Amino acid sequence: MLQKIRKIMLFNDYSRSDLKAVQPLIMEDNRRFCMIWAAVNNLFWIYCLIMTVINPKYHMCRAIYILAFVVCTICFFLSVYAAPKHPGLIRAIAIIMDESLLLAGVFIARYLAPQTIMVFASVLIVPVVFITDTFSTFLMLLINIIVFTQVGSRTMESETYKWVLSNLCIFSVVGVLIGHFVNKARFERYIFAESKAELAEIEARYAHYDQLTELQNMRAYEETIEQLAKQLPAGCCVVAVDINGLKETNDTLGHHAGDELIIGTAKCLCRSFTGTDRIYRTGGDEFAVIITDEEYDVDAALKRLKRYCADWKGELIHGFSISAGVASAKEFDNMDAILKVADQRMYESKREYYENSGKDRRRR
């Protein structure tokens, strides 16, 4: 029974990871609520202060109005400036604002009992509207009742005290129930929205990234080429890269070795071509790098690439080679020509490799 109550009160239907994922969104909403609620309450306290000038019976509560106004103003500025940097303050701000409203209501009721209904309504609204689990809502309302019984019994008339306490208890129970269903629905909405956002991010990643190497894929490569073709940068350079002997590796050592060779090439490319994120896997054993920086030393990057590939040590593969071809906007004034020549030069390099029978992979 206790476990069931605990599950209901703390929303244990959801995993900790789900709740943690949506926590920043919930905290931001709570921050905005605290900011707006503090501003609304300040308008009420300003109205009350104006009434102290117009109506003599409000004079006795002027100090209370001023103090409540100051507390709400502090809460407002904390919500605006401090809470974005320190989200943990949000809960404390809500509690401070709620307790200040409760105490203000208690002391105002001593002189103006009928006029305190709005204040006590605020005391009940804050814990219920604040987005949190049911246990926290219950705890805040329980604290309110305890504070009220300790302070109200000493300051309020007996009949007024009993009337307010009974209503506070009744509306607190109703508030816990309302808060439970409203907040659970909010949590579900946030978790659903977070799941959709994560799914969209995954789908976008799979649409533009190769799953094996985590490099950008052919689709991303074509989109980049299309963008650059519209306005070709002066320093644009395309490097076409092909793994030597991938088919032979698959046939002799198996596809696991072939995958290792592809992953190894991707890692060597990333190590070699530092300072650019435009590295693509464009086919089974084909890769491409696009450089748009005119000062980039492509020759040095290619030397590093060949050295890293030769020194590569994997589980099944120990050293391999690649063929590469380079063409740039310094030679040609359109992207089609750059791509065509880069491929031609890469295939020329590959023919030299096969003519020399350069088998450079061996089993460990």
Side-chain angles (χ1 to χ4, degrees), residues 143-190:
I143 290 169
N144 286 341
I145 292 170
I146 292 170
V147 170
F148 179 78
T149 56
Q150 295 299 310
V151 180
S153 61
R154 295 184 177 89
T155 59
M156 299 172 71
E157 293 181 1
S158 179
E159 288 186 9
T160 305
Y161 167 73
K162 290 177 182 178
W163 178 80
V164 175
L165 178 60
S166 60
N167 280 280
L168 193 62
C169 291
I170 292 168
F171 286 113
S172 292
V173 172
V174 174
V176 169
L177 293 174
I178 293 172
H180 172 75
F181 292 109
V182 170
N183 281 325
K184 189 170 183 182
R186 285 170 174 167
F187 273 103
E188 287 172 351
R189 187 169 70 249
Y190 279 116

Side-chain angles (χ1 to χ4, degrees), residues 178-229:
I178 293 172
H180 172 75
F181 292 109
V182 170
N183 281 325
K184 189 170 183 182
R186 285 170 174 167
F187 273 103
E188 287 172 351
R189 187 169 70 249
Y190 279 116
I191 289 168
F192 178 69
E194 185 73 13
S195 299
K196 281 186 70 177
E198 287 179 0
L199 183 61
E201 186 179 341
I202 291 167
E203 287 175 350
R205 183 165 183 82
Y206 279 133
H208 291 87
Y209 284 81
D210 175 59
Q211 295 180 43
L212 181 63
T213 62
E214 296 186 356
L215 295 178
Q216 296 180 75
N217 60 17
M218 186 63 176
R219 180 176 177 178
Y221 176 68
E222 289 174 345
E223 288 179 2
T224 304
I225 291 296
E226 187 178 343
Q227 290 172 0
L228 294 174

Side-chain angles (χ1 to χ4, degrees), residues 9 98-99 102 123-124 127 134-150 165 168-169 172-173 176:
M9 297 289 276
D98 204 39
E99 297 309 310
L102 177 66
V123 169
L124 291 168
T134 305
F135 178 75
S136 298
T137 304
F138 169 77
L139 196 60
M140 284 180 73
L141 290 170
L142 182 62
I143 290 169
N144 286 341
I145 292 170
I146 292 170
V147 170
F148 179 78
T149 56
Q150 295 299 310
L165 178 60
L168 193 62
C169 291
S172 292
V173 172
V176 169

Side-chain angles (χ1 to χ4, degrees), residues 224-266:
T224 304
I225 291 296
E226 187 178 343
Q227 290 172 0
L228 294 174
K230 293 176 182 176
Q231 188 173 358
L232 189 64
C236 186
C237 176
V238 175
V239 182
V241 176
D242 193 291
I243 303 171
N244 291 330
L246 176 64
K247 185 178 184 303
E248 182 187 14
T249 300
N250 284 330
D251 291 343
T252 56
L253 301 178
H255 286 280
H256 288 300
D259 288 347
E260 184 181 292
L261 191 54
I262 292 167
I263 293 168
T265 305

Side-chain angles (χ1 to χ4, degrees), residues 37-52 58 61-73 97-108 115-116 118-120 122-123:
W37 198 244
V40 169
N41 279 303
N42 267 349
L43 290 175
F44 174 71
W45 298 126
I46 290 170
Y47 161 77
C48 291
L49 286 168
I50 293 170
M51 289 302 293
T52 62
Y58 283 85
C61 301
R62 184 178 291 173
I64 299 168
Y65 298 150
I66 292 171
L67 186 59
F69 176 79
V70 170
V71 171
C72 285
T73 301
M97 189 159 54
D98 204 39
E99 297 309 310
S100 68
L101 288 168
L102 177 66
L103 292 171
V106 169
F107 289 113
I108 292 169
Q115 282 77 23
T116 59
M118 185 172 178
V119 179
F120 286 118
S122 299
V123 169

